[in-house]
Amino acid sequence: MYILFEEHQYESSRVEKILKDIYALQDVDKRVCVQYVGYFYNPHLHDCVFILPKVLLTEQETLVGVKQESGEPVTPEMVLEPKGQEKLSKEYRKFIYEFSVWIYRALNVFYKANPKSKAILYKHLPQAGKGRRHQAKTYLDIVLSLINFNQENRDFVLFTIKNLHRGNNKINWMRTISHSQAFVQDKDVVYLNPVNKKRIVNYEEELFVIFYSILNYLNGAYGFHTPINIQYELITGKQFKQYMHGMGKTRLMQIKYKYFSDKALQLWDLCYAFFENSYRIAINTNTQEYLLTKNFNIVFEAMIDELIGTPHHNIPKGLADQDDGKRVDHMYTDLALTSAEAQTNREVYYIGDSKYYKSGHPLTSESIYKQYTYAKNVIQWNVNLFLSDDTAYDELDKHKRQADKDRFGNIRLQDASVTEGYDVIPNFFISAFVNNDLKYNVKENIRPHKDKNEEHCTKISYQFPDRLFDRDTLFLSQYDVNFLYVLFLYARNKTNEKIQWKELVRKKFRDEIRAVIQKKFMIYAMRARLGVDGALYLQQHFYELNGRVFQPYGEERMTYFAYARPTKNMENTQTQYDDLSRYFIIEKCGMGQDPHEVLKSAIEQELQKPIAHSQWLTLHYLERYTNKGILVGYYKDEEHLKWILGHNDKGSLVYNVRLQVKGEEQRAGAHTSGFYSKKNVQFVILYTDNVEQTSEYRVFHVKDTASKVTEERMRDTWYPFDVKGSHFFFRFDEEVTLGKLIITELIKRLKKNHLAEFGEYTQHEPLFTTAEEVLEFRMSL
């Protein structure tokens, strides 16, 4: 077998004869570089030529994992011809033989999945026949010939076995009468031990057992799917290893001369050749037999995408195949970095690119720049998906856009409603390495790629170094995968193995990038304190918090915010952190931790504090709101007040009133949403029991309303009392003051007015009035 390496520069005189039947050109220095990977048969040499991937070479153009006896590295020229290979160790020669099968399997799997791909050059490979005998030196020849024999000679095997067993159960009466004792019972003669015609030793069946045991081994070791249609007890496990280590050749030689048919002799040749690679077998060959790929980077990309990514046909147009003509190698959706492991409903896009380099080859600046462009295009695609203005889309695009939104609605990279921050988008490169021990299946099958003088494998691109949640802050990691293991996994083509590794790799990517981010930034979870509208605060301090605060859990979770500040020069953000601490409960929270658990203790302590009026409240002059409505409502106790002040599932300041909905039972004090909307409520005044003695009340400015909150949703808000029916919500932005009001007299007036209008008054029913009327009960400012 002749061995070449992809893209290695050979002197043309050394390889001219070897490459005679494939297209090759020399440069001005009379050197030849082969751009193929795979296998072909050279009839002029009467031998096979194997072109190995360049990942088996180091940057210094020496072989990975093999050295001369002197300790010097081995160059590709040293192993080019069979004579040079004799100097290699037995282990390395074994590796080359087996590696040829794995490459064949990988190319075969790729070819079947992509039959129209122009990357593969394929024509029928060598197989056993009646041609001139020559030295078959490759494991690949033997394996393929064994598999091909099974495919083409099933009738021969079944016919032979049928003839061997014909008459096995018929009794040989002559031998039975002469050798077995008879018993007479009711005039009948009974023989308890009849003798049948079965032969004790059957060498043809033993050959079949060995043959199918080899096929069974190939199926398990390399992932072939060769059918085994007989029910023999096969040689497996330790016993088969003994056959591999010499017992197979010994046993085959013992039964060699028991066969006479051409097919049986051919099968014996194949089985013996499997155990002794140098044995001569008959192979029909011609110059057109090959399995080559002229772009192995495409095969490598397909291997990685199969084992890591999501198929491109399952990704919306514009994401992987981008509108500017760029094509992302690998993309999938997975748990967002800011989400807890248990919260699987929030995902982001993971964007990857395969780099088919020699081992240790550094990334180019062009590749890095392109990867950042991929990420920016993905962010813009996602933002466009949720734009309210779709006038720029034609009808077909609108329909497709809605379908993409329905499918990827759980991925929203921008928190457009509150912080206008962007979730972290992970980017990664995948390149290959080969272990010096040349092992396929080892524990460390993927590892971070670290260049010299680098702390970690991740590069950071940003516009503002202290803004984590900014669309221009992008993280780009590089990982190396064990090429042999990836080849092994892809070639075996076993779904369970691929799924397990995919989950392992995706988790590793997620954990690694989280660790890098937490090394660069301090991450905090924060939630508004009682009586503080967190969203309003963030809006009022948008400029100084933009890119530093993000709302990871959206509207379906409690209103927690992630806050990030850089680990270096933290004194510059200390003032900002101190300001936030006055309005928010804030605790360190690693990415991937649940903020509910992180903040649970602090929230409980917050709830134990007595509720007090703020010393400084915004004064609103009622004279400016004479045509606006005011609601005077009742709260039951301090627990109810805490719920109003933010101890609810969203941390919002809200007040609920009963809503009358068609089809629901009529409840006292309930009104329709239309009734509440017409009241145009601008302020809500809240009082509780003993107001006649304390004259205490609180005033809140209404930000907006929620026209219908169902009974089920109401229970989810942590409402401290029994819930029945739907409710209408008034949402506040802050607590304010309207000046000193004579609250007891105001309540008496409103109850009297309510009774006059509706004919009845239910205790603690909400009362409605106007700013103009409330002015009558305000003391002088």
Side-chain angles (χ1 to χ4, degrees):
M1 178 175 67
Y2 288 79
I3 299 175
L4 296 171
F5 286 89
E6 177 194 15
E7 293 187 6
H8 180 69
Q9 296 283 340
Y10 292 94
E11 293 182 7
S12 59
S13 59
R14 293 287 306 272
V15 296
E16 183 178 4
K17 189 176 181 179
I18 299 173
L19 298 176
K20 186 174 182 178
D21 291 318
I22 69 171
Y23 184 73
L25 294 176
Q26 66 182 20
D27 61 18
V28 293
D29 296 324
K30 295 186 177 182
R31 300 184 73 85
V32 172
C33 178
V34 185
Q35 301 293 331
Y36 299 103
V37 169
Y39 167 91
F40 71 95
Y41 180 77
N42 188 323
H44 307 288
L45 301 174
H46 301 292
D47 209 339
C48 304
V49 179
F50 201 75
I51 307 172
L52 302 183
K54 61 185 178 183
V55 295
L56 293 181
L57 293 179
T58 67
E59 280 289 291
Q60 293 74 36
E61 296 292 318
T62 61
L63 275 63
V64 175
V66 58
K67 291 186 177 181
Q68 303 179 55
E69 293 182 1
S70 62
E72 293 295 317
V74 177
T75 64
E77 286 78 8
M78 294 180 183
V79 298
L80 177 62
E81 300 180 3
K83 290 183 179 179
Q85 297 164 24
E86 293 176 0
K87 300 177 182 178
L88 297 174
S89 66
K90 179 181 179 182
E91 291 75 15
Y92 194 80
R93 291 199 302 272
K94 178 177 181 291
F95 163 75
I96 292 295
Y97 285 151
E98 293 183 350
F99 186 75
S100 63
V101 176
W102 287 119
I103 285 290
Y104 166 77
R105 284 289 298 144
L107 295 182
N108 196 36
V109 170
F110 178 82
Y111 177 72
K112 289 181 179 179
N114 306 274
K116 296 182 180 180
S117 174
K118 296 181 180 180
I120 294 292
L121 305 175
Y122 174 79
K123 195 167 184 180
H124 204 268
L125 288 168
Q127 50 188 288
K130 295 183 179 179
R132 184 175 60 83
R133 298 169 72 86
H134 73 89
Q135 191 78 6
K137 298 180 180 179
T138 67
Y139 194 39
L140 178 63
D141 288 333
I142 301 164
V143 169
L144 300 185
S145 297
L146 283 163
I147 293 173
N148 189 68
F149 183 91
N150 184 57
Q151 293 174 342
E152 295 186 354
N153 295 281
R154 294 177 184 175
D155 292 341
F156 160 72
V157 174
L158 295 175
F159 179 77
T160 303
I161 293 175
K162 183 178 180 181
N163 284 338
L164 291 175
H165 288 270
R166 181 176 295 170
N168 278 356
N169 293 325
K170 291 185 178 180
I171 297 174
N172 187 328
W173 288 111
M174 293 290 294
R175 298 184 65 193
T176 299
I177 294 172
S178 60
H179 293 86
S180 181
Q181 186 176 1
F183 295 88
V184 179
Q185 183 178 4
D186 298 330
K187 298 182 180 181
D188 293 326
V189 179
V190 178
Y191 291 91
L192 297 180
N193 299 302
V195 180
N196 62 23
K197 295 182 178 181
K198 184 177 180 180
R199 288 175 291 180
I200 297 176
V201 179
N202 191 319
Y203 294 106
E204 283 189 292
E205 284 192 292
E206 184 173 1
L207 179 61
F208 289 151
V209 169
I210 294 174
F211 171 58
Y212 282 109
S213 296
I214 293 172
L215 294 181
N216 181 64
Y217 167 77
L218 296 176
N219 285 346
Y222 300 111
F224 288 102
H225 298 286
T226 306
I228 298 176
N229 300 318
I230 62 172
Q231 301 300 320
Y232 289 126
E233 183 177 348
L234 302 180
I235 305 167
T236 59
K238 292 182 179 180
Q239 187 180 5
F240 189 82
K241 287 184 179 180
Q242 292 175 347
Y243 269 67
M244 295 278 286
H245 293 156
M247 184 176 174
K249 293 186 294 182
T250 302
R251 185 55 188 158
L252 284 169
M253 288 300 297
Q254 291 173 348
I255 62 176
K256 177 177 180 180
Y257 300 103
K258 308 297 181 183
Y259 309 108
F260 302 99
S261 71
D262 290 342
K263 289 292 183 183
L265 291 172
Q266 181 185 357
L267 180 58
W268 187 94
D269 275 355
L270 289 172
C271 292
Y272 190 87
F274 176 79
F275 295 117
E276 178 53 70
N277 292 345
S278 63
Y279 191 76
R280 300 172 64 88
I281 64 172
I283 293 184
N284 286 327
T285 60
N286 60 67
T287 59
Q288 301 300 317
E289 295 175 345
Y290 49 78
L291 178 61
L292 297 166
T293 173
K294 58 182 178 180
N295 292 303
F296 193 75
N297 61 302
I298 296 177
V299 179
F300 180 70
E301 177 186 323
M303 290 163 58
I304 297 298
D305 202 49
E306 175 76 15
L307 300 175
I308 293 177
T310 297
H312 274 48
H313 60 265
N314 290 333
I315 300 174
K317 183 181 179 182
L319 271 179
D321 297 300
Q322 299 180 344
D323 293 337
D324 60 357
K326 294 181 175 63
R327 187 177 190 274
V328 179
D329 286 354
H330 316 294
M331 178 176 284
Y332 61 89
T333 60
D334 198 12
L335 184 67
L337 300 178
T338 49
S339 287
E341 293 293 333
Q343 303 299 327
T344 57
N345 61 325
R346 273 200 71 254
E347 296 181 327
V348 294
Y349 306 105
Y350 287 69
I351 307 166
D353 192 30
S354 294
K355 291 302 170 189
Y356 177 59
Y357 293 146
K358 292 179 181 177
S359 182
H361 192 287
L363 288 172
T364 64
S365 57
E366 179 185 359
S367 298
I368 295 171
Y369 182 82
K370 285 172 61 177
Q371 194 67 17
Y372 288 139
T373 304
Y374 295 153
K376 291 176 181 178
N377 287 344
V378 168
I379 293 172
Q380 189 60 53
W381 183 92
N382 184 263
V383 171
N384 291 343
L385 188 65
F386 293 97
L387 288 176
S388 58
D389 180 16
D390 58 4
T391 57
Y393 296 83
D394 58 32
E395 289 303 320
L396 181 61
D397 285 339
K398 289 178 183 178
H399 177 75
K400 175 184 171 298
R401 180 183 175 207
Q402 185 58 48
D404 290 341
K405 189 183 292 187
D406 293 340
R407 185 178 177 188
F408 293 94
N410 65 324
I411 302 177
R412 189 160 188 169
L413 302 180
Q414 184 192 31
D415 177 24
S417 61
V418 182
T419 67
E420 296 191 19
Y422 289 82
D423 212 340
V424 181
I425 306 297
N427 293 261
F428 59 89
F429 284 112
I430 294 289
S431 51
F433 75 93
V434 176
N435 279 318
N436 287 330
D437 58 10
L438 301 174
K439 289 186 177 180
Y440 288 83
N441 194 351
V442 295
K443 291 183 179 179
E444 189 184 25
N445 291 315
I446 184 166
R447 66 191 185 194
H449 178 95
K450 297 181 182 180
D451 293 331
K452 293 181 179 179
N453 301 322
E454 287 193 356
E455 296 181 23
H456 46 74
C457 68
T458 302
K459 297 176 174 62
I460 305 176
S461 174
Y462 53 80
Q463 182 179 2
F464 302 99
D466 58 343
R467 297 184 183 181
L468 173 62
F469 304 114
D470 186 83
R471 70 181 294 166
D472 291 323
T473 300
L474 300 172
F475 294 83
L476 179 55
S477 303
Q478 183 179 1
Y479 294 89
D480 294 331
V481 295
N482 183 352
F483 178 79
L484 299 180
Y485 181 76
V486 169
L487 183 69
F488 162 85
L489 210 58
Y490 182 78
R492 281 169 65 89
N493 202 24
K494 293 191 175 182
T495 303
N496 289 340
E497 291 180 351
K498 291 190 292 186
I499 290 175
Q500 290 175 6
W501 197 68
K502 180 179 291 187
E503 292 176 351
L504 174 69
V505 170
R506 290 185 176 185
K507 186 177 186 305
K508 186 177 183 65
F509 286 165
R510 195 165 63 244
D511 292 344
E512 291 278 354
I513 191 68
R514 279 174 171 168
V516 170
I517 291 173
Q518 291 182 166
K519 190 172 183 179
K520 294 291 183 180
F521 292 89
M522 295 289 290
I523 312 296
Y524 300 88
M526 64 183 195
R527 186 172 189 269
R529 295 186 182 277
L530 290 179
V532 175
D533 189 315
L536 178 65
Y537 180 91
L538 296 179
Q539 290 171 5
Q540 292 173 340
H541 298 80
F542 174 79
Y543 179 77
E544 58 263 37
L545 292 174
N546 183 29
R548 300 177 178 90
V549 179
F550 182 66
Q551 186 177 12
Y553 292 96
E555 291 298 319
E556 298 303 319
R557 287 279 291 164
M558 292 176 289
T559 307
Y560 290 129
F561 299 95
Y563 169 64
R565 57 178 179 153
T567 53
K568 294 182 179 179
N569 301 320
M570 290 183 62
E571 62 274 8
N572 295 335
T573 58
Q574 188 62 45
T575 301
Q576 182 183 85
Y577 174 83
D578 293 340
D579 288 341
L580 283 171
S581 299
R582 285 195 287 269
Y583 297 93
F584 292 86
I585 303 169
I586 182 167
E587 297 285 344
K588 289 183 182 179
C589 181
M591 299 191 80
Q593 286 185 276
D594 189 342
H596 173 66
E597 295 299 324
V598 171
L599 295 175
K600 186 176 182 180
S601 176
I603 290 174
E604 290 177 352
Q605 293 179 18
E606 177 77 7
L607 295 176
Q608 298 302 318
K609 296 179 181 179
I611 299 176
H613 286 276
S614 176
Q615 293 181 349
W616 305 102
L617 298 174
T618 303
L619 173 63
H620 288 263
Y621 292 90
L622 288 173
E623 289 83 355
R624 298 177 182 176
Y625 305 95
T626 54
N627 62 337
K628 300 293 185 180
I630 293 180
L631 183 153
V632 178
Y634 168 84
Y635 65 90
K636 296 182 180 180
D637 52 27
E638 188 167 296
E639 189 176 5
H640 189 190
L641 180 59
K642 286 181 179 179
W643 181 87
I644 294 170
L645 293 178
H647 187 222
N648 50 65
D649 69 324
K650 291 188 176 181
S652 302
L653 280 68
V654 295
Y655 183 69
N656 64 301
V657 293
R658 295 176 180 180
L659 178 65
Q660 186 59 52
V661 178
K662 186 177 180 180
E664 291 187 3
E665 181 182 347
Q666 179 70 40
R667 291 175 295 159
H671 299 282
T672 65
S673 60
F675 172 86
Y676 293 126
S677 298
K678 287 179 180 179
K679 293 298 182 180
N680 195 18
V681 174
Q682 190 74 23
F683 300 97
V684 172
I685 302 173
L686 297 180
Y687 68 95
T688 188
D689 296 327
N690 301 321
V691 67
E692 295 84 0
Q693 288 77 33
T694 63
S695 297
E696 291 183 355
Y697 62 93
R698 303 180 81 126
V699 183
F700 299 89
H701 182 256
V702 175
K703 176 174 63 175
D704 56 25
T705 61
S707 58
K708 182 182 178 181
V709 178
T710 65
E711 180 178 322
E712 181 180 6
R713 176 70 187 95
M714 188 68 183
R715 291 194 182 95
D716 292 337
T717 66
W718 310 348
Y719 192 62
F721 308 108
D722 291 337
V723 178
K724 186 175 183 181
S726 300
H727 287 75
F728 188 95
F729 272 23
F730 294 92
R731 290 193 287 218
F732 312 142
D733 51 17
E734 62 178 337
E735 186 174 1
V736 299
T737 180
L738 300 176
K740 185 64 174 177
L741 301 178
I742 308 173
I743 187 66
T744 53
E745 295 300 322
L746 175 61
I747 293 173
K748 289 179 182 178
R749 166 76 72 83
L750 296 181
K751 287 181 178 179
K752 182 178 179 181
N753 293 345
H754 185 91
L755 187 61
E757 182 179 358
F758 295 101
E760 61 178 347
Y761 171 74
T762 303
Q763 188 178 16
H764 306 318
E765 185 176 347
L767 303 167
F768 294 89
T769 184
T770 63
E772 185 177 14
E773 186 173 12
V774 172
L775 273 171
E776 300 178 22
F777 299 89
R778 188 187 69 186
M779 297 181 182
S780 298
L781 295 174

